[in-house]
Amino acid sequence: MSLRFCSIASGSSGNCQYVETDKTKIIIDAGLSGKKIQNGLLSIGADPTKLNGILVTHEHKDHIKGVGILSRRFNIPIYANNNTWEAMKEYLGKLDEQNIRIIGSNNSFEIGDINIDSFSTSHDAADSLGYSLNHKNKKVSIVTDTGIITENIKSKIKDSNLLMLESNHDIQMLKIGSYPYYLKKRILSQDGHLSNEDAGNLISELFLDKFQRIFLGHLSRENNFPELAYQTVVNIMTEKGIKLNKDIQLQVADRHHPTELCIV
């Protein structure tokens, strides 16, 4: 009766994460084509026809591209808060009314045998969310697309056995890169994205013996690269006395390909 996790894809070009128990199968976001998500699930032995729900963090295209397609194809309920529904409904196409599930922005609910806590993040979207998924004293938390980490977010993700955390950009790469000033300002704002340094500092601050695995996700294609994100976070953890592969397992989620299916 374990909890299992896989990142199907994570990055500015598309996001989809998968969490399952023996009885319940959930994806968080569907920002790829329906076909790519189906193939990603099949590659780890997960049956897309058995999905019990799609949790949506926010309405940006890299998080909802395949939501409507998958819901129609496999009759899957879609869970999002009211503001996100209003912002994304015109992009999803016609849906079965029974698959429109409105949740609170800081709420607890259940899908099958998984208890889910939603919590507000700080992003330039209608009402963006992160999620913690709990089963049998195991906990997976997903925090991407937020410019800051609030005390509420910290309280929701503490004691996670597995954390997927945004590590979007290297600050210096962003500052000297080709993005226009307004876009740099947006990314660096409290409604933007977490940097590699932000990720490393948060991991170090919240480190508890219960943390087992951390995935760095939602890396920018233009302002970051996996080796830099990984090493920046490792350096900060090392400075704080956290031992890689002893205290914490760390890896970067791939932009295009699924990770292994991890037992939490």
Side-chain angles (χ1 to χ4, degrees), residues 135-241:
H135 173 75
K136 300 288 186 181
N137 297 315
K138 297 293 185 179
K139 181 175 178 178
V140 170
S141 295
I142 297 171
V143 185
T144 63
D145 297 82
T146 188
I148 56 173
I149 295 293
T150 63
E151 291 302 316
N152 183 52
I153 293 174
K154 292 177 186 177
S155 70
K156 293 291 187 178
I157 68 175
K158 70 177 182 179
D159 298 329
S160 297
N161 302 96
L162 185 149
L163 172 65
M164 181 160 188
L165 180 63
E166 178 170 61
S167 190
N168 176 257
H169 59 276
D170 174 80
I171 295 173
Q172 196 60 28
M173 282 184 69
L174 176 62
K175 286 182 175 179
I176 66 175
S178 61
Y179 276 10
Y181 174 74
Y182 79 88
L183 186 53
K184 294 179 182 181
K185 185 177 180 181
R186 172 217 166 221
I187 293 169
L188 291 167
S189 76
Q190 68 175 12
D191 295 323
H193 293 278
L194 296 179
S195 69
N196 297 336
E197 290 85 350
D198 291 331
N201 288 329
L202 177 64
I203 293 165
S204 298
E205 178 183 348
L206 292 184
F207 169 69
L208 295 167
D209 289 340
K210 199 169 184 180
F211 265 141
Q212 295 175 350
R213 299 194 72 150
I214 295 177
F215 286 83
L216 303 178
H218 210 290
L219 273 66
S220 167
R221 187 197 306 272
E222 292 79 12
N223 301 306
N224 209 355
F225 53 92
E227 295 81 5
L228 178 59
Y230 180 89
Q231 196 58 53
T232 300
V233 172
V234 167
N235 290 346
I236 293 172
M237 287 168 49
T238 301
E239 288 176 2
K240 303 293 185 179

Side-chain angles (χ1 to χ4, degrees), residues 2-4 10 22 28 30 38 54 59 70 80 91 96 99 112 114 144 160 169 202 216 228 232 258 264:
S2 61
L3 191 63
R4 297 175 289 274
S10 182
D22 290 344
I28 301 90
Q38 284 180 238
I54 303 171
E59 74 277 7
L70 290 173
Y91 304 107
D96 190 320
N99 288 330
I114 298 178
T144 63
S160 297
H169 59 276
L202 177 64
L216 303 178
L228 178 59
T232 300
V264 178

Side-chain angles (χ1 to χ4, degrees), residues 37-130:
I37 293 172
Q38 284 180 238
N39 289 340
L41 291 169
L42 291 170
S43 74
I44 60 167
D47 184 352
T49 69
K50 304 296 185 183
L51 288 172
N52 302 105
I54 303 171
L55 304 179
V56 178
T57 61
H58 64 291
E59 74 277 7
H60 290 168
K61 184 179 179 181
D62 58 324
H63 295 262
I64 67 165
K65 182 178 180 180
V67 169
I69 296 166
L70 290 173
S71 179
R72 283 187 293 277
R73 187 172 294 166
F74 302 121
N75 193 31
I76 308 168
I78 305 164
Y79 295 79
N81 60 32
N82 187 66
N83 289 336
T84 297
W85 269 113
E86 288 300 312
M88 72 177 179
K89 62 183 180 181
E90 66 179 293
Y91 304 107
L92 301 187
K94 186 173 177 58
L95 300 171
D96 190 320
E97 288 292 328
Q98 70 175 358
N99 288 330
I100 299 174
R101 308 290 177 90
I102 299 175
I103 62 172
S105 295
N106 289 278
N107 200 13
S108 293
F109 58 100
E110 292 182 351
I111 301 177
D113 58 357
I114 298 178
N115 180 267
I116 301 159
D117 289 317
S118 63
F119 51 89
S120 295
T121 58
S122 181
H123 195 51
D124 59 347
D127 195 359
S128 58
L129 297 178

